């Protein structure tokens, strides 16, 4: 009798994951993290519960896979924007214009905001969310430092705190825009205030004599 084939991801697994994550984003945003069931997510993705449990142990685990996917794309967009702005006259002012919000961003905000409230009441979820948030902030902090350096500026406050403030403005602005889209267009708060805040929270680098 021949040796058993080793178990591992098949060619179809990335497609399965992608469809489950897309279905989860849609269902969590439409019905809420707790109200959306595993059955509904699988039905929307076109799979059985078996496909879910071959990839995830729980809805929490599914959320964090979705978190990594969505925030990974955010980091990619910010990194691309920072690269494009390198050497321009106003990299701080140009950043927000290159990070316009789309429908997927709005859906993700609905999901992540609800899960954050859930984590505030659940110590285990909070611990895992904190670890994921820290990794995201570390990447964003590095990009923010690059942007400031290209603008000839140095942070005058703790860089992690500054990154937290940038994230808070973006998320808070999006929350208000979802409720009052006609009075506060998406991205408006960032457009007006982020360049001002980044300049206020940094100082010009000393120019060394030639």
């Amino acid at each position: 009798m021949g040796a058993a084939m080793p178990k591992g991801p098949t060619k179809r697994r990335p497609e399965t994951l992608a469809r489950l994550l897309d279905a989860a984003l849609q269902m969590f945003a439409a019905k809420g993290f707790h109200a959306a069931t595993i059955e509904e997510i699988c039905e929307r993705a076109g799979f059985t519960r078996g496909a879910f449990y071959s990839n995830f142990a729980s809805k929490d685990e599914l959320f964090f896979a979705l978190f990594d996917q969505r925030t990974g794309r955010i980091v990619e967009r910010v990194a691309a924007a920072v690269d494009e702005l390198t050497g321009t006259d106003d990299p701080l002012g140009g950043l927000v214009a290159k990070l316009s919000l789309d429908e997927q961003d709005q859906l993700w905000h609905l999901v992540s905001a609800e899960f954050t409230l859930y984590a505030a009441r659940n110590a285990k979820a909070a611990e895992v969310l904190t670890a994921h948030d820290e990794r995201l902030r570390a990447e964003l902090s590095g990009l923010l430092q690059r942007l400031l350096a290209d603008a000839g500026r140095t942070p005058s406050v703790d860089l992690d705190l500054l990154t937290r403030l940038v994230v808070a403005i973006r998320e808070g602005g999006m929350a208000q825009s979802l409720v009052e889209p006609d009075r506060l267009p998406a991205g408006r708060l960032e457009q007006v205030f982020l360049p001002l805040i980044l300049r206020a929270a940094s100082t010009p680098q000393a120019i060394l004599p030639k």
Side-chain angles (χ1 to χ4, degrees):
M1 189 173 179
M5 290 295 291
K7 294 183 178 180
T10 66
K11 291 182 179 179
R12 296 181 61 186
R13 187 173 184 191
E15 180 185 351
T16 301
L17 285 170
R19 286 168 59 180
L20 283 170
L21 291 174
D22 181 66
L25 177 64
Q26 299 294 328
M27 294 305 302
F28 288 162
K31 300 192 67 174
F33 174 77
H34 291 291
T37 67
I38 291 173
E39 289 80 3
E40 289 171 325
I41 294 169
C42 291
E43 181 179 355
R44 187 178 184 93
F47 298 122
T48 64
R49 285 171 60 95
F52 178 91
Y53 286 110
S54 67
N55 290 280
F56 305 106
S58 65
K59 278 203 301 182
D60 281 29
E61 192 173 299
L62 172 61
F63 168 83
F64 287 116
L66 187 59
F67 182 103
D68 289 339
Q69 180 201 62
R70 297 304 311 171
T71 57
R73 292 177 182 174
I74 291 170
V75 170
E76 288 175 359
R77 286 165 59 191
V78 175
V82 171
D83 288 341
E84 289 179 25
L85 291 166
T86 298
T88 60
D89 293 336
D90 184 19
L92 299 185
L95 178 65
V96 177
K98 289 186 175 294
L99 297 176
S100 58
L101 301 171
D102 59 23
E103 183 182 356
Q104 293 288 299
D105 293 318
Q106 294 176 338
L107 292 179
W108 172 240
H109 176 76
L110 290 172
V111 177
S112 60
E114 182 188 6
F115 194 90
T116 298
L117 292 176
Y118 160 60
R121 301 182 180 94
N122 184 299
K124 185 177 180 180
E127 182 179 358
V128 181
L129 181 60
T130 296
H132 280 70
D133 278 339
E134 285 176 348
R135 288 196 294 271
L136 172 61
R137 280 201 314 278
E139 297 226 46
L140 294 178
S141 292
L143 292 170
L144 184 57
Q145 190 167 36
R146 274 183 54 198
L147 186 74
L148 288 169
D150 189 59
R153 306 186 70 84
T154 301
S156 55
V157 297
D158 179 80
L159 190 59
D160 181 70
L161 285 178
L162 181 57
T163 304
R164 285 179 182 269
L165 178 60
V166 169
V167 171
I169 292 172
R170 188 172 178 83
E171 291 185 349
M174 192 180 303
Q176 294 181 56
S177 295
L178 286 170
V179 177
E180 303 176 87
D182 296 331
R183 299 183 65 183
L184 184 68
R188 182 61 177 157
L189 284 185
E190 298 98 299
Q191 292 166 6
V192 174
F193 292 106
L194 275 188
L196 298 175
I197 289 171
L198 292 177
R199 291 188 182 97
S202 62
T203 54
Q205 295 175 346
I207 300 177
L208 298 176
K210 295 183 179 180

